[in-house]
Amino acid sequence: MVRVNRKAVVLFIVLAVLIVVIILAIIILSIMSSQSRLTHHQVSRIQAYYASLAGMNLAYDMLGQADNNVGNWPQPATVTPNLFYTRFLCREVASDVNCNTADAIIDANIPSSIKFVQVTVTDKTAVSPLRPCNPPQDSQICIDATATYTYQP
């Protein structure tokens, strides 16, 4: 007759349960970490979206003013020969090469994840550097805004 040491069997069962619990804990922590990174990336994307909308709103506002003091925002038809121009909205001057130009607008309220917002104002008749210009029926101008953001995990 084979005698089984009950203490040894209990030890193996406890070790097996402990290994299963550790493996499950590692899986759960990995999922939580991954979800945190995805959430942070999504927040950065949403901030970039709204920063580009803010750039478009600023362009509409500046084009509506005859004399503005925030930079030179002329009607694109007066810009020759390309009939378009680009302005940059930046958080700080040193953040990007584009932010060191005279036409850059510095705004400390832009989120830190946003490198810059590029706003291109195009005349209806111009060949846009980004995409075709199809303005609303009563407008001769297209405004395109693109936010460049950084994801920092």
Side-chain angles (χ1 to χ4, degrees):
M1 183 189 290
V2 179
R3 293 189 67 190
V4 178
N5 189 352
R6 289 186 181 170
K7 290 182 182 180
V9 172
V10 170
L11 178 64
F12 284 123
I13 292 174
V14 168
L15 285 176
V17 169
L18 189 59
I19 289 173
V20 169
V21 168
I22 289 173
I23 290 173
L24 287 175
I26 289 171
I27 291 171
I28 290 171
L29 288 174
S30 174
I31 291 171
M32 288 173 52
S33 174
S34 174
Q35 188 64 33
S36 173
R37 285 191 307 264
L38 289 172
T39 301
H40 181 54
H41 183 63
Q42 182 69 16
V43 167
S44 297
R45 289 181 61 212
I46 291 170
Q47 287 175 341
Y49 172 77
Y50 284 108
S52 60
L53 284 181
M56 289 178 68
N57 287 334
L58 177 66
Y60 281 121
D61 188 43
M62 290 294 109
L63 287 167
Q65 297 178 11
D67 180 28
N68 60 64
N69 59 359
V70 185
N72 187 15
W73 294 77
Q75 296 294 324
T78 63
V79 179
T80 55
N82 298 327
L83 300 176
F84 70 89
Y85 58 89
T86 302
R87 301 293 183 260
F88 294 93
L89 304 172
C90 305
R91 180 179 172 82
E92 55 192 27
V93 175
S95 66
D96 192 83
V97 174
N98 299 318
C99 297
N100 293 324
T101 65
D103 293 326
I105 298 172
I106 308 302
D107 185 357
N109 293 322
I110 295 175
S112 61
S113 65
I114 308 297
K115 289 178 69 177
F116 60 86
V117 178
Q118 176 181 343
V119 180
T120 303
V121 180
T122 309
D123 189 74
K124 179 178 170 179
T125 61
V127 177
S128 174
L130 301 173
R131 57 183 66 107
C133 176
N134 296 315
Q137 191 172 18
D138 59 340
S139 178
Q140 297 294 316
I141 298 171
C142 291
I143 299 174
D144 186 71
T146 305
T148 301
Y149 68 97
T150 56
Y151 167 63
Q152 301 165 345

